[in-house]
Amino acid sequence: VVASGLPDRVLAVFGSIFMALVNSGKNNENIHPEVLEDLSEVLSKCSPCLGNITCNLQNSWKCDESDVFAMWNDFRQCLQAAKDTNVNGNIPTSAIAATLSIMAAFLRFRPVLVKRVNKKDLEMILSFVRMEVPENSKSDDEAAAVSDIQKDAIGMLGILCSEPHPSTVNEQICDAFVTLLQRAQTTTAAVMGEVINALMDMYSADEEDANNHEAVFRSKGVLNIFEKTVPILKEKIRADESKGNASYEEVEFLKEIGLNATRFIRYKKGH
């Protein structure tokens, strides 16, 4: 597959479309809505393709350290451009979701990246966790894209938290996660489930573990927040199930998170 050049061609298509969107924004050019929708769809199809390539070709494509860092920097620049109000007029939320999804795959399957994520990277990922659907948006697709962005950003933070890190960083991440749970009425069940799962992983380390941050867990009142939001998560799961808003697999996965969260509350109360 690598010898055929297919992965690099898919990457080139993704990059050329994204940069075309950025440059059109810089030049104040309007893109016809149907054309923009088609371009966004291509990006959305390239993204899982590149994610699968990253997963399945871990030792044969973009595995050299310099290549991995170069890729990460390129995608980071894409996301920085998407946040620039001077150029982002033609960059839809789905394009941001597609980009972050690829970055999440690289962080998961190219572990050399984990120790190279810097403060600016962390701040960018945190900003995507806290992202909200614009109040003037009436699009279900945009809401779904924001949800995808949040889930990928949460997953990335979960990967980063698996490595020893200072309490100040743990506090930043905890604050972002707690913010989402406190917005429980507007946060989807899928995103709530990801947050609760990540928090359980973050605060399950034994006392002698270098990655134990029990002091942050207590100071931020995470246990109390769990007690308030886990029942809300379970209500949302039942609502999604009854309305057919989630697949059987998604519902069962979220139910398992809810069950584990209830056990986690009991465990923490006993310590």
Side-chain angles (χ1 to χ4, degrees):
V1 175
V2 176
S4 72
L6 178 61
D8 289 329
R9 288 202 296 273
V10 175
L11 179 62
V13 168
F14 187 97
S16 62
I17 291 176
F18 201 101
M19 289 312 300
L21 296 177
V22 170
N23 291 331
S24 65
K26 285 181 179 179
N27 298 327
N28 291 318
E29 297 171 351
N30 291 322
I31 299 179
H32 191 283
E34 290 185 6
V35 174
L36 186 59
E37 184 178 346
D38 287 344
L39 291 174
S40 300
E41 186 177 353
V42 174
L43 291 178
S44 297
K45 289 182 176 178
C46 286
S47 177
C49 182
L50 289 169
N52 287 333
I53 291 169
T54 305
C55 170
N56 294 307
L57 301 178
Q58 295 182 44
N59 299 314
S60 55
W61 186 71
K62 302 298 182 185
C63 48
D64 181 78
E65 195 168 306
S66 60
D67 285 344
V68 172
F69 296 152
M71 284 281 292
W72 179 265
N73 288 331
D74 286 346
F75 284 121
R76 177 175 54 193
Q77 289 173 13
C78 287
L79 292 179
Q80 288 171 339
K83 282 180 165 292
D84 186 343
T85 55
N86 293 318
V87 303
N88 70 359
N90 289 330
I91 303 177
T93 306
S94 60
I96 298 173
T99 306
L100 196 66
S101 177
I102 301 169
M103 292 184 76
F106 263 84
L107 191 62
R108 184 175 300 279
F109 298 112
R110 300 294 184 273
V112 67
L113 271 175
V114 173
K115 295 184 183 299
R116 293 293 296 265
V117 172
N118 59 36
K119 184 178 179 180
K120 287 186 177 180
D121 293 333
L122 178 62
E123 290 172 351
M124 179 185 68
I125 297 169
L126 287 169
S127 73
F128 287 121
V129 171
R130 294 187 290 261
M131 189 174 183
E132 295 185 79
V133 180
E135 291 184 4
N136 60 352
S137 173
K138 298 180 180 179
S139 168
D140 290 340
D141 289 342
E142 183 160 20
V146 170
S147 180
D148 287 342
I149 288 168
Q150 290 176 317
K151 286 185 289 184
D152 277 325
I154 293 162
M156 293 169 80
L157 292 175
I159 294 168
L160 295 175
C161 282
S162 66
E163 295 288 329
H165 57 279
S167 293
T168 51
V169 169
N170 192 271
E171 288 176 0
Q172 284 182 280
I173 295 172
C174 184
D175 284 340
F177 287 169
V178 165
T179 296
L180 277 184
L181 292 182
Q182 290 174 332
R183 297 194 322 226
Q185 298 305 324
T186 56
T187 302
T188 65
V191 171
M192 284 185 70
E194 291 287 345
V195 171
I196 288 172
N197 221 16
L199 284 168
M200 288 190 290
D201 286 342
M202 282 172 61
Y203 298 116
S204 294
D206 295 331
E207 289 184 12
E208 63 274 12
D209 194 309
N211 220 14
N212 177 283
H213 292 280
E214 188 66 20
V216 176
F217 178 85
R218 295 182 183 278
S219 68
K220 299 294 182 181
V222 179
L223 180 57
N224 183 50
I225 293 166
F226 260 55
E227 290 181 300
K228 290 179 179 178
T229 55
V230 169
I232 297 174
L233 170 64
K234 292 180 178 179
E235 288 177 11
K236 285 178 175 283
I237 295 169
R238 287 193 292 270
D240 284 349
E241 185 176 24
S242 64
K243 295 176 182 176
N245 291 340
S247 69
Y248 173 81
E249 291 77 12
E250 290 170 332
V251 168
E252 291 303 304
F253 176 67
L254 289 172
K255 284 182 177 179
E256 184 177 353
I257 291 175
L259 181 61
N260 290 338
T262 299
R263 292 170 177 161
F264 180 79
I265 291 169
R266 286 201 299 265
Y267 167 77
K268 285 294 186 180
K269 280 186 169 182
H271 285 71

